[in-house]
Amino acid sequence: MERKVTWETYDEEQMKELEALNREYREFLDNGKTERECIDTIVNTIEAEGYRELESVIESGAKLQKGDKVYSVAMNKSIAMFQIGEKPMTEGMNILGAHIDSPRIDVKQNPLYEDSGLAYLDTHYYGGVKKYQWVAIPLALHGVVVKKDGTIVELNIGENEDDPVFFISDLLVHLSAEQMKKTAAQVIEGEALDLIVGSKPIHIDSEKKEEAEETDTDKKKAKELVKEGILGILKDTYDIEEEDFLSAELEIVPAGKAREVGFDRSLILAYGQDDRVCAFTSMRAMLDVKETQRTMCCILVDKEEIGSVGATGMNSHFFENAVAEVMNLNGEYSELNLRRCLSRSCMLSSDVSAGYDPAFASCFEKKNSAFLGKGMVFNKFTGSRGKSGSNDANAEYVAHLRKIMDEKGIVWQTAELGKVDVGGGGTIAYILAVYGMNVIDSGVAVLNMHAPWEATSKADVYETYRGYKVFVEGASM
């Protein structure tokens, strides 16, 4: 069954809209390389378009009415957005849900050390990565350091042209005969992903050096002059002590901006498109729908790449609590009404799909693959092996989505995540499905998924935005 190529369906005006949307998307990616940065960017964007913080509305004693827009943030890493519809929330919501965390490398709590004249930060990778892809490329350091007095120091080093960058070393090919015999999973070990952050020893004159060697501790410091130099820079520039790493969240990500790809500039190459491409298109769809019968909701969450765990993951009660607070401000809350609202809701679990790559055709089943440039993707099921860990959307819901997408001229396709038994993966869909609501995975096809640089089609970004907009403003099943 052949699907349309999106590029062939656009007129001149739509092409202008497509380019404008993708410029905004690239800026979104550049400004939000971590969950915290994403939340800051999103809050600034939605407040400018009339959204109010849910907690401030509660404190004011105000009530919510049709058309009101509120949001709630969890620990600066997840957000839920609501626009109140005409119908009671007990009749359900139209929900878009994506995640804003991406595979990366995290800095450990006791990270700074020196070895053979080089200073390093010790690390632990986050999410599903091919470790060998993260060596010998320019890397940036983003995150926060929280001092004992509560002061928060924000770091973003490596993105501006004048910034230094960092890197993880790899073995030179001339000495790598034994390394090249290892499997890809073992070529670079997890404990070898340490970040090189300096090599220049701090200058200590001979008299002070003799004074510094009076105790064993001082002798060690006198030998670790590169580390001491780094600590001096951190103290002078950011007022950070070594112990402050204990209460820090520092993420190592590829340095550089999102870029257009190809002579025709038809693709976007950037870090973190899984799943910030769906987060951006979900947010923008919400902002561009002015009113609707059903309450619209957008959930953008953390920790999907490691199982949706923790206080900011989809398995937490953050979303359910936010819905309860919104219903209370509507005068609708009861435990039964909350259950009715959630069970009658419809959701697109907005997550990316594997784009068909002809260079690795043997891993795909072509009839059921997503292709770049052929529109938004619906995945009826994900999981691995026998659909393990999957939400499998029911046929009635798929038929409903087919109808509303076709009526509005949305270009879409269906896919699964590679050949049966080749691999697999999951999303947040199964977690929301616990409430009994209709859920299906839907998003953008991606090449190089989970690599430091991922690729998407501008047309698919635009078509997914259009599809999400049609969904949130549409009627229930």
Side-chain angles (χ1 to χ4, degrees), residues 54 63-70 80-95 286 292-299 319-346 437 476:
L54 180 60
K63 297 297 181 183
L64 294 179
Q65 300 175 2
K66 175 189 172 184
D68 283 346
K69 305 171 185 177
V70 293
M81 302 162 51
F82 301 87
Q83 181 172 322
I84 307 304
E86 183 176 334
K87 293 183 177 181
M89 289 182 66
T90 50
E91 295 190 24
M93 300 179 288
N94 289 342
I95 305 171
M286 285 277 291
T292 182
Q293 290 187 328
R294 279 159 68 95
T295 292
M296 299 185 296
C297 175
C298 178
I299 325 161
F319 169 63
E320 184 179 327
N321 293 343
V323 175
E325 294 285 6
V326 170
M327 294 188 74
N328 191 53
L329 294 175
N330 278 348
E332 293 187 69
Y333 177 74
S334 72
E335 183 66 18
L336 180 58
N337 281 348
L338 175 62
R339 300 299 162 196
R340 285 173 175 168
C341 171
L342 294 172
S343 66
R344 293 169 180 171
S345 293
C346 293
M437 69 176 71
S476 62

Side-chain angles (χ1 to χ4, degrees), residues 443-463:
V444 177
V446 175
L447 291 184
N448 303 346
M449 193 189 297
H450 281 213
W453 297 96
E454 299 168 315
T456 57
S457 166
K458 285 182 178 179
D460 294 339
V461 174
Y462 179 59
E463 208 62 29

Side-chain angles (χ1 to χ4, degrees), residues 247-421:
S247 50
E249 291 177 0
L250 297 174
E251 301 179 12
I252 299 162
V253 299
K257 294 182 180 296
R259 301 291 297 272
E260 295 172 302
V261 175
F263 291 113
D264 56 6
R265 299 177 179 265
S266 59
L267 305 175
I268 292 175
L269 189 70
Y271 166 70
Q273 296 197 75
D274 177 11
D275 184 34
R276 292 174 190 138
V277 63
C278 295
F280 169 78
T281 46
S282 296
M283 176 196 70
R284 179 41 61 192
M286 285 277 291
L287 294 177
D288 290 347
V289 174
K290 301 310 176 188
E291 59 180 44
T292 182
Q293 290 187 328
R294 279 159 68 95
T295 292
M296 299 185 296
C297 175
C298 178
I299 325 161
L300 305 175
V301 294
D302 182 24
K303 297 293 190 290
E304 191 272 350
E305 297 294 358
I306 58 170
S308 297
V309 294
T312 55
M314 196 66 245
N315 272 311
S316 78
H317 289 284
F318 158 66
F319 169 63
E320 184 179 327
N321 293 343
V323 175
E325 294 285 6
V326 170
M327 294 188 74
N328 191 53
L329 294 175
N330 278 348
E332 293 187 69
Y333 177 74
S334 72
E335 183 66 18
L336 180 58
N337 281 348
L338 175 62
R339 300 299 162 196
R340 285 173 175 168
C341 171
L342 294 172
S343 66
R344 293 169 180 171
S345 293
C346 293
M347 180 184 179
L348 296 185
S349 175
S350 308
D351 209 341
V352 297
S353 188
Y356 179 82
D357 190 338
F360 303 97
S362 63
C363 294
F364 296 86
E365 197 271 284
K366 203 168 185 179
K367 299 191 307 300
N368 289 288
S369 293
F371 292 82
L372 268 65
K374 291 197 174 183
M376 69 183 299
V377 185
F378 287 103
N379 292 81
K380 186 177 185 295
F381 55 85
T382 54
S384 57
R385 299 177 298 280
K387 300 184 182 180
S388 176
S390 169
N391 166 69
D392 197 341
N394 66 57
E396 290 85 353
Y397 188 42
V398 177
H400 167 69
L401 294 170
R402 287 176 57 199
K403 181 175 185 292
I404 64 174
M405 295 298 163
D406 287 346
E407 284 177 350
K408 296 296 184 178
I410 306 302
V411 180
W412 58 276
Q413 56 185 319
T414 60
E416 62 181 3
L417 192 59
K419 279 185 177 179
V420 177
D421 288 339

Side-chain angles (χ1 to χ4, degrees), residues 11 17 26 38 67 106 116 177 191 239 258 262 282 328 341 393 442 469:
D11 58 26
E17 290 178 3
R26 293 196 300 277
C38 266
D106 286 342
S116 305
E191 286 291 356
D239 195 25
S282 296
N328 191 53
C341 171
S442 174
K469 189 166 175 280

Side-chain angles (χ1 to χ4, degrees), residues 165-234:
V165 294
F166 311 95
F167 76 102
I168 299 165
S169 64
D170 191 12
L171 184 62
L172 65 161
V173 68
H174 311 73
L175 303 179
S176 62
E178 290 300 315
Q179 182 194 45
M180 299 290 274
K181 294 177 184 178
K182 296 180 179 179
T183 65
Q186 297 171 324
V187 166
I188 300 294
E189 300 288 345
E191 286 291 356
L193 289 172
D194 289 356
L195 193 72
I196 293 178
V197 296
S199 66
K200 183 168 69 174
I202 191 171
H203 176 71
I204 301 178
D205 61 42
S206 57
E207 184 177 335
K208 289 183 178 179
K209 188 172 182 180
E210 289 177 5
E211 293 176 2
E213 292 179 348
E214 292 180 359
T215 68
D216 290 340
T217 301
D218 290 335
K219 285 178 182 178
K220 183 178 179 182
K221 284 185 177 181
K223 291 179 180 178
E224 295 183 334
L225 298 182
V226 177
K227 176 182 173 180
E228 288 302 305
I230 299 300
L231 286 172
I233 293 169
L234 292 174

